Amino acid sequence: MVFRMNEPNKNPPVPYLNPSVTTDVVIFTVEDGLLKVLVALRDKEPFKGHLALPGGFLYQSEVTEAAARRILKEKTGVANVFMEQLCTFDTPGRDPRGPIFSIAYVALIPRKKLAIGALSDTQQTSLVPVHKMPALSFDHRDIVRYAVKRLRAKLGYSNIAYSLLPEFFTLTELQTLYEVILGKKLDKRNFRKKILRLGLVRKTGKVYREGRQRPAFLFRFVSRETTTFRDMF
Amino acid sequence: MVFRMNEPNKNPPVPYLNPSVTTDVVIFTVEDGLLKVLVALRDKEPFKGHLALPGGFLYQSEVTEAAARRILKEKTGVANVFMEQLCTFDTPGRDPRGPIFSIAYVALIPRKKLAIGALSDTQQTSLVPVHKMPALSFDHRDIVRYAVKRLRAKLGYSNIAYSLLPEFFTLTELQTLYEVILGKKLDKRNFRKKILRLGLVRKTGKVYREGRQRPAFLFRFVSRETTTFRDMF
DNA sequence: TGAATAGTGTCTTTCAGACAATATGCC
DNA sequence: GGCATATTGTCTGAAAGACACTATTCA
């Protein structure tokens, strides 16, 4: 049986700090050509009715990554996606209830994998573009800003983008994804040179036909293993 | 008054997980041309008598960076040095007492700033080279390995090295520091080209005279502000 | 054959890496 | 003048960035 963690100790049995720990997840996806983050309306105090990152306290014997994956599943219906630890936030005053640490995670999910229901009003969740991030509860805006920085940085030297694409994709699709995440246009020839030199993707024999134009070759990532947070450097 | 955090809840008043949180600090310094980390003999169970990173539970109302700085002060007598958050480690089983998270920090200290007493036998601390890291308690060896990775990576694009140098230094001193941290020799001309192009250091009018050879110009970092963990990308 | 997107090559600049001779101050 | 270290430049290859035309398929 699983128990939900209690509210932070207001009257702890001993006069020591047992800081409460929450996990918050920055869930990235791409929709309508924009990099978006999933935010939810809080149904409890503090900040009831305000937007925040999905998150919550840890279950019994739960580690933070498991908690992050559970939250991800609850909010999006998705499992088995790329996720890594971002950072731990413990700035004093970040939670009005007292010292509560947030161990933040980052997840990347293709838009079409997100269950429609997960974004319905009943779930009180929505996707907001990172360039128009509204005010968020706690220090969640800082967390998102930091997550965006790291996502953009990792894009340049890792295969992190595979998480947002189907197994087979065209180089145009890949480039568009990069442009959306980086927030700027890229030169088609230079992009292809760089991507192919990195050796992360490989051309398959398949082609993609849509519309009446020339078909595009489909590529795939050589490896779907993504470096985890501990390999980041 | 400050209270020390208790041992992790063995019989918690409520059946929820309030994970205990410790802070561990990877304290880097350079000695005898080697990059070294400060480790201490544990005086308590678990792993009593074994080597571990300096660390401990949080005091009442203490945030992790404050705890890390307190631990740093206790072990080395040093304050006001560069320190940044590394990562949070919560692998199940990392602590035999149960789920105890470690929020790891990295600090850089010039060897001569380390109080001699801090390294005496009474303190049970010693400096060990990173390339000969002995077995450490908990998962501290992983933490050190990750810290080294990050230190080396940041060296290439940040002014993090300033923490290990006096305000004024020669380019030869700077190069030697880089060589020690990276664990390899660098070409003098290429190093100077790169460092000067980065724009992190600036030549001062001063010169450094020692021995009977040509004096060297002294440089200083343009800024002693180091990007913090949240600006890392 | 026209529409629409796919695919490709060159030039320039910058940077990394290999490589050695000259400059300066002190004794 | 000799010693010891400081300082400096060139060449080559790799990669980034600017830039425009040809290729292919289908309607």
Side-chain angles (χ1 to χ4, degrees):
Chain A
M1 177 164 178
V2 171
F3 295 95
R4 187 106 203 205
M5 188 177 179
N6 60 341
E7 289 293 303
N9 292 331
K10 291 214 166 83
N11 297 298
V14 286
Y16 309 137
L17 177 64
N18 237 18
S20 297
V21 173
T22 68
T23 294
D24 294 302
V25 190
V26 181
I27 301 170
F28 284 114
T29 195
V30 169
E31 185 182 54
D32 302 331
L34 297 173
L35 179 64
K36 296 184 177 182
V37 171
L38 189 145
V39 296
L41 284 176
R42 288 182 57 82
D43 57 1
K44 284 184 293 200
E45 294 294 347
F47 299 112
K48 182 172 179 176
H50 290 84
L51 291 172
L53 292 174
F57 292 100
L58 303 175
Y59 284 178
Q60 182 71 35
S61 297
E62 195 177 42
V63 293
T64 55
E65 179 169 336
R69 291 198 180 276
R70 171 176 56 76
I71 289 160
L72 190 67
K73 186 75 191 270
E74 287 171 6
K75 293 290 177 182
T76 68
V78 175
N80 296 321
V81 297
F82 170 78
M83 199 169 66
E84 70 172 9
Q85 193 186 115
L86 178 65
C87 191
T88 294
F89 293 79
D90 69 341
T91 307
R94 62 172 298 279
D95 191 312
R97 291 167 293 186
I100 299 181
F101 297 174
S102 168
I103 300 180
Y105 276 78
V106 172
L108 302 180
I109 307 182
R111 175 63 185 87
K112 66 183 183 190
K113 271 196 178 178
L114 288 170
I116 301 291
L119 303 181
S120 69
D121 278 359
T122 60
Q123 288 279 344
Q124 307 282 312
T125 62
S126 59
L127 296 172
V128 301
V130 295
H131 70 284
K132 285 187 182 177
M133 193 56 51
L136 297 181
S137 310
F138 308 104
D139 53 358
H140 287 185
R141 213 155 183 270
D142 296 331
I143 297 178
V144 171
R145 187 166 350 113
Y146 184 44
V148 171
K149 257 189 182 171
R150 194 136 114 185
L151 172 61
R152 287 178 175 160
K154 288 199 75 165
L155 208 57
Y157 63 89
S158 83
N159 65 348
I160 195 171
Y162 92 84
S163 313
L164 290 170
L165 288 173
E167 182 176 0
F168 297 95
F169 51 87
T170 67
L171 287 187
T172 299
E173 288 170 336
L174 184 64
Q175 180 178 346
T176 301
L177 176 63
Y178 272 64
E179 290 175 339
V180 166
I181 292 177
L182 297 177
K184 62 181 179 188
K185 283 284 173 191
L186 302 172
D187 179 84
K188 186 194 288 194
R189 287 157 293 184
N190 294 336
F191 177 79
R192 286 168 186 238
K193 264 188 305 187
K194 170 162 180 167
I195 284 294
L196 295 175
R197 188 162 29 70
L198 268 178
L200 296 175
V201 302
R202 186 171 300 157
K203 185 191 283 195
T204 69
K206 306 181 200 301
V207 294
Y208 175 76
R209 289 187 160 78
E210 190 176 78
R212 55 184 177 175
Q213 72 280 15
R214 173 175 178 176
F217 282 104
L218 286 168
F219 287 70
R220 67 192 308 179
F221 281 97
V222 171
S223 165
R224 293 179 76 79
E225 293 296 315
T226 301
T227 56
T228 66
F229 73 94
R230 290 195 196 168
D231 302 320
M232 227 178 48
F233 289 97
Chain B
M1 178 163 180
V2 171
F3 295 94
R4 187 106 203 205
M5 188 177 179
N6 60 340
E7 290 293 302
N9 292 332
K10 291 214 166 84
N11 297 297
V14 287
Y16 307 138
L17 177 64
N18 239 17
S20 296
V21 173
T22 69
T23 295
D24 295 302
V25 190
V26 182
I27 301 170
F28 285 115
T29 195
V30 170
E31 185 183 54
D32 301 331
L34 297 172
L35 179 64
K36 297 186 176 181
V37 171
L38 188 146
V39 297
L41 284 176
R42 288 182 57 82
D43 57 1
K44 284 184 293 200
E45 294 294 346
F47 300 112
K48 182 172 178 175
H50 290 83
L51 290 173
L53 292 175
F57 291 101
L58 303 175
Y59 284 178
Q60 181 71 35
S61 297
E62 196 178 41
V63 294
T64 55
E65 179 171 334
R69 291 196 180 277
R70 171 176 56 76
I71 290 159
L72 191 67
K73 185 73 191 273
E74 287 170 8
K75 294 288 177 184
T76 68
V78 175
N80 297 320
V81 299
F82 171 77
M83 201 170 65
E84 70 172 7
Q85 194 186 114
L86 177 65
C87 190
T88 293
F89 293 79
D90 68 342
T91 308
R94 61 173 298 279
D95 191 312
R97 291 167 291 186
I100 300 182
F101 297 174
S102 169
I103 301 180
Y105 277 78
V106 172
L108 301 181
I109 307 183
R111 175 63 186 87
K112 64 183 184 188
K113 270 197 179 180
L114 287 171
I116 301 291
L119 302 182
S120 69
D121 278 359
T122 60
Q123 289 278 343
Q124 307 282 312
T125 62
S126 59
L127 296 172
V128 300
V130 295
H131 70 283
K132 284 187 182 177
M133 192 56 51
L136 297 181
S137 310
F138 308 104
D139 54 357
H140 287 185
R141 213 155 181 270
D142 296 331
I143 296 178
V144 170
R145 186 165 351 112
Y146 184 44
V148 171
K149 256 189 184 175
R150 193 135 115 185
L151 173 60
R152 288 179 174 159
K154 289 199 75 166
L155 208 57
Y157 63 88
S158 82
N159 66 346
I160 194 171
Y162 91 84
S163 313
L164 290 171
L165 289 173
E167 182 176 0
F168 297 96
F169 50 87
T170 67
L171 287 186
T172 298
E173 289 171 335
L174 184 65
Q175 181 178 346
T176 301
L177 176 62
Y178 271 64
E179 289 175 341
V180 166
I181 293 178
L182 297 175
K184 62 180 178 187
K185 284 283 171 191
L186 302 173
D187 179 85
K188 187 191 287 196
R189 286 158 293 186
N190 294 336
F191 176 78
R192 286 168 185 238
K193 264 188 305 186
K194 171 163 179 166
I195 284 295
L196 294 177
R197 189 160 28 70
L198 269 178
L200 296 175
V201 302
R202 185 170 302 155
K203 185 191 283 194
T204 68
K206 307 180 199 303
V207 293
Y208 175 76
R209 289 185 161 79
E210 190 177 77
R212 57 184 177 175
Q213 73 280 16
R214 173 177 178 175
F217 282 105
L218 287 168
F219 287 70
R220 68 194 305 180
F221 281 98
V222 171
S223 164
R224 293 180 75 80
E225 293 296 314
T226 301
T227 56
T228 65
F229 73 93
R230 292 197 193 164
D231 301 319
M232 228 179 46
F233 289 97

